[in-house]
Amino acid sequence: MSRVVVIVGASSGVGRATARAFAERGDRLVLAARATTTLAEVRAECADADVLTVPTDVTEPGALEALAGAAIDHFGGVDVWVHTAAVMAYGRFDELPGRVFDQVVRTDLLGTADSVRVALRHFRAAGAGTIVLTGSLLGHVTAPYMSAYVTSKWGLQGLARTVQQELRDSPRIRLCLVNPGSVDTPVYQQAANYLGRVGRPPPPVTSPQRVARAIVNCVDRPRREVSVGRLNVVLRAGFTVLPGVYDMLVGPLMRVAGLSGRPVAAQDGSVFTPNPAGEAVRGGHLPDLRQLVFGPLGAVGAALRRRLG
């Protein structure tokens, strides 16, 4: 039996990959994001599914309640609520404009909190439902030059744990938190930047499709928290057990692995306004394995056809 799945942040990265994953299962989708044009593209990618798109800015008062209302009006209810919407900003804390810091926290933490609040209201009325939130390894450790994002993800970690405790009297309502490490999405290039160098995900980098699979699995087999990333456990242990060593190494490692050599002028990125041209599933930080395998095979096939033809 197909489920009604709301995906907030469906226009890019993990959210877009998640929309495709649920569509392949035959679930009915309600896709929400700021950019109307990109939502239309994602809807086309999920052509085999029954899809409703609802342009939504999570920082706008009442927007998420309106999203829930649209989903219920169209499909009669909601079974799963997935929240992946996030923005990012680079810069030393004292050099990052306060308005940018506040908007990142407003989007990544307060927007998520509002999403949970709205979903819980409807799930409590229905008596059941699953909420899946995307946190981050940076909800357990810290990294310089990303203060707004780190603050948001630490806050989200606390919010998720608290709500899970409060749901102990409602066993049919589940809240799951998926915490990926570095993921190959466009969020790094789309970030506000007051550091002068374009950011990138430090290795090892995982694919958004892998995170999407973890989200789908949480709906099938709910878990309180899921970590996606080979080094997540190691980094969390180092942060906790050897804080002095961690703090000594994280700055140089961030400058080498977490920042590219490409210069960038001070700018707000997509923090306040979406950039549809920059939205995609992948960010180009991880090779497309299908292209690596089938690209050379295709070239060989073309060469053989030319020789034989």
Side-chain angles (χ1 to χ4, degrees):
M1 180 177 179
S2 67
R3 296 165 296 203
V4 177
V5 182
V6 173
I7 304 175
V8 184
S11 62
S12 194
V14 170
R16 193 163 181 166
T18 301
R20 293 178 179 180
F22 278 114
E24 290 171 359
R25 295 164 56 94
D27 289 316
R28 292 166 288 169
L29 306 180
V30 182
L31 306 181
R34 293 179 295 176
T36 304
T37 54
T38 317
L39 280 177
E41 293 174 6
V42 183
R43 180 173 188 163
E45 294 167 2
C46 302
D48 293 335
D50 190 354
V51 179
L52 171 69
T53 59
V54 183
T56 304
D57 184 338
V58 302
T59 66
E60 291 292 329
L64 288 161
E65 189 61 66
L67 169 63
I72 292 169
D73 288 344
H74 190 81
F75 288 118
V78 176
D79 302 300
V80 179
W81 191 288
V82 179
H83 191 102
T84 68
V87 293
M88 190 180 287
Y90 288 95
R92 294 180 183 274
F93 173 71
D94 56 319
E95 296 174 354
L96 187 68
R99 60 183 179 80
V100 174
F101 183 98
D102 292 353
Q103 185 70 1
V104 172
V105 174
R106 189 174 293 117
T107 302
D108 296 2
L109 177 55
L110 300 184
T112 306
D114 199 21
S115 211
V116 173
R117 186 180 297 112
V118 169
L120 281 178
R121 187 177 301 127
H122 291 279
F123 288 164
R124 285 196 184 278
T130 302
I131 302 169
V132 186
L133 308 178
T134 49
S136 172
L137 170 63
L138 291 177
H140 289 284
V141 306
T142 59
Y145 318 126
M146 301 180 72
S147 57
Y149 188 80
V150 170
T151 298
S152 299
K153 294 303 182 181
W154 276 68
L156 177 56
Q157 191 72 32
L159 172 67
R161 185 68 178 271
T162 301
V163 174
Q164 287 168 344
Q165 292 166 351
E166 293 174 354
L167 286 174
R168 288 180 63 83
D169 62 350
S170 304
R172 297 185 63 205
I173 303 175
R174 306 296 293 269
L175 186 145
C176 310
L177 182 63
V178 175
N179 286 328
S182 295
V183 185
D184 178 27
T185 77
V187 71
Y188 307 92
Q189 300 99 306
Q190 297 270 65
N193 200 303
Y194 287 83
L195 196 60
R197 293 168 60 188
V198 176
R200 63 186 178 191
V205 181
T206 194
S207 71
Q209 289 85 351
R210 184 181 173 196
V211 183
R213 287 195 297 271
I215 291 172
V216 172
N217 287 340
C218 278
V219 176
D220 293 336
R221 295 176 294 279
R223 296 169 58 187
R224 291 166 61 88
E225 185 173 340
V226 177
S227 179
V228 183
R230 292 193 298 275
L231 291 184
N232 288 11
V233 173
V234 175
L235 291 171
R236 286 177 61 175
F239 181 83
T240 303
V241 178
L242 299 169
V245 175
Y246 180 95
D247 288 353
M248 178 179 65
L249 295 177
V250 68
L253 287 174
M254 181 66 180
R255 288 189 289 273
V256 170
L259 298 171
S260 72
R262 289 190 292 145
V264 60
Q267 44 92 16
D268 291 343
S270 64
V271 168
F272 294 95
T273 306
N275 174 29
E279 294 183 329
V281 173
R282 288 175 175 259
H285 307 286
L286 189 67
D288 187 329
L289 296 181
R290 290 175 301 176
Q291 186 62 33
L292 287 178
V293 173
F294 295 110
L297 289 178
V300 170
L304 287 174
R305 285 194 296 272
R306 286 195 300 269
R307 181 177 291 275
L308 296 175

